[in-house]
Amino acid sequence: MSRQASTITVVLPDGSEMEVEHGATVEDVAHEIGPGLGRDTVAGVVDGDLVDKATPLTEDCRLEIVTESSDEYLDVLRHTGAHVFGQALQRLYPEANLAIGPSTDDGFYYDIAGVDLDEDDLAEIEAEMEAIVEADYELHREERPHEEAFETYDDNPYKQDILDAEAAGEETVSFYVQDDWEDLCQGPHVDSTGDIGAITLLEMSAAYWRGDEENDQLTRVYGSAFESEDDLEAFIQRREEAKERDHRKIGREMDLFSVPEHSPGCVHFHPNGMEIRRELEEYIRTKNDDLGYDEVWTPELNKAELWKPTGHYDNFKENGEMFAWEQDETEYGLKPMNCANHAHVYQEGQYSYRDLPVRFSEFGTCYRNEQSGELSGLLRVRGFTQDDGHAFIRRDQIEEEITQTLSSIEDIYDQFGIEVAYKLETQGDNAVGSDDIWEEATQGLRGSLESLGLDYDVEHGEAAFYGPKIALNGIDALGREWTIGTVQLDFNIPERLDLTYVGKDNEDHRPVMVHRALLGSIERFMGVMIEHFNGNFPTWLAPEQVRILPVSDDNIGYAKRLKNADLGQFRVEIEDRSWTVGKKIQQAHDDRVPYMLIVGDDEEEAGTVSVRDRFENQESDVDTKAFRDHLSQERNERRVEPDFLK
């Protein structure tokens, strides 16, 4: 066999290439790079997929070696944590059936059946888990014939389903063995249960097998694992703080929104929440104006034919994510995205190269049939409104368009005091169109990121089917990442819909389509902001910006004059209940009002106010005009914190 056929090319994270033997494992490559790296290898990332270090490499690929210092190491450790749970559970409850147990961003979970557990049982299971960690069992990977594995799980339909689906056509499948316990698993795992420094169980919930409500309901047990007890304690503290910041809890306290049972996954915004939403929409309108977008509106109800040429029908309808039905022998649907409608608006016009870019924006409401078990307040919904936008541009305008869009989104995040992490998502297995246009589109996005000097991670194979994407992840006050803004470059939909413009040569040319969302969905962004600010919104966003606290009923008239005459342009309420001033102040703090104006006889006589902010700063004898002028400036500049008394 020739050398060309017996070797493959491995691309390392620094861009360098290695020729290695066909079938060499991840660990083999690590040893070839250096003996120390080989000894430290825990796992590998092959073309974006986390794999066992014993995985053979059979084709050209990108490879990253995972060691204990890698970001991915915690995922590997937590995957082993799920196996420790599985072993502990089946020691105590041999009748338990294990379904699936992956790592997650916060730890791991395992879906189980055949045993009736409640929260009180978790302590005993956790104690058994700690004993397994203490025993320091080595984990061994074993390859077994598919048929033998299927017979092993005669009494476990979930593992058999995995073998029929994920392992269909495979001659052998992998098991991981620790002590006298084993589990069907692709890995990867750490070398030993003793590598886990700290492990805990967190909570339980119900889950449907494969996330399908038509399937069995299972018990999902959540846990987490860390390298040290200190890391676990810090996690528990962050988790408790996250519970306090839960947007559903704060939403009830501030009367912002509800998601009633008669509208599952669809949000009702109450007056307080609507004040926030309106402010966000008006803010984004100013950004769209700056970027040169024309606002449009397109209907939520369309014939399903609209989405077939673009490929969205196949991606959403066949996956059960589109709300669709047939009427009078015609199939209709609620739109799952806005891009096909915006492409139609473009088609209705006639454009030359001088007219481009042509840009359309819309606060467009879309619907996707998320599984009920996945719904979560504002963060995971079925009905959502995107601050969507599509620009139709020439090829020579790509870098300028993407660059100015990224700059605008970065300004928005800065307005909220949010740090940004950039992710470049590249061509995946479901991509449509040629490799050449995908490479051109990817380089266009990469060029804009690099021209702005932005650091970014590459998420290989994670792009949508029609084009590569830059995901802008906001990092909130607790250090959590949320994908909010997105920018995608699309050569495919203009081709599929035959979109054109007239070039300098008087011939038809194909525009390029930029899909972008500055906030993403209004619902999700509001959920993130509620938790980020813990309900303590900047003054410009706060549903109630000022609360006037009369010292006695005799001062209510002065309070009304302040509200209606001096502060009429702001959102102001008067606390007129017959409470003590101390109780009124406490209630305003609890309600997260940025400013309180305390007015008694002295203030009324002098025509002044005492100003108190939510940080408990207070100043007396404040001129009302000075306060009003500052409040106006603070609001107009959209400052992150109330700062009159700073």
Side-chain angles (χ1 to χ4, degrees), residues 245-356:
R245 290 174 178 258
D246 190 309
H247 72 283
R248 293 163 295 188
K249 169 181 172 289
I250 294 172
R252 289 190 298 271
E253 292 171 353
M254 298 184 71
D255 194 23
L256 302 179
F257 69 91
S258 59
V259 187
E261 290 188 5
H262 63 257
S263 301
C266 297
V267 181
H268 288 52
F269 286 96
H270 299 192
N272 286 345
M274 198 62 198
E275 292 286 3
I276 300 173
R277 178 171 176 149
R278 287 176 59 185
E279 290 284 359
L280 290 173
E281 289 183 355
E282 288 309 308
Y283 175 46
I284 295 305
R285 282 191 171 95
T286 66
K287 289 296 184 181
N288 285 333
D289 290 344
D290 292 342
L291 290 168
Y293 279 80
D294 294 315
E295 188 165 349
V296 299
W297 183 88
T298 62
E300 296 159 25
L301 174 64
N302 299 270
K303 289 183 178 179
E305 287 296 324
L306 173 69
W307 302 296
K308 290 183 178 179
T310 65
H312 288 98
Y313 181 89
D314 291 338
N315 274 267
F316 287 105
K317 176 62 163 54
E318 293 186 3
N319 290 330
E321 295 179 11
M322 184 184 291
F323 288 100
W325 65 94
E326 191 170 300
Q327 186 170 333
D328 299 328
E329 299 182 354
T330 300
E331 189 176 15
Y332 294 87
L334 297 176
K335 66 178 177 181
M337 80 303 292
N338 301 297
C339 43
N341 296 80
H342 289 192
H344 165 75
V345 176
Y346 179 88
Q347 284 176 312
E348 290 292 289
Q350 294 182 335
Y351 304 101
S352 79
Y353 68 95
R354 296 187 184 90
D355 299 315
L356 271 57

Side-chain angles (χ1 to χ4, degrees), residues 151-171:
E151 292 173 355
T152 298
Y153 289 112
D154 270 344
D155 58 350
N156 188 330
Y158 312 108
K159 296 294 189 185
Q160 289 188 337
D161 188 20
I162 293 170
L163 288 164
D164 281 339
E166 284 85 345
E170 299 289 337
E171 290 186 7

Side-chain angles (χ1 to χ4, degrees), residues 602-603 606 608-611 619-624:
D602 292 343
E603 287 80 12
T608 61
V609 293
S610 289
V611 181
E619 183 177 332
S620 301
D621 300 322
V622 174
D623 179 75
T624 56

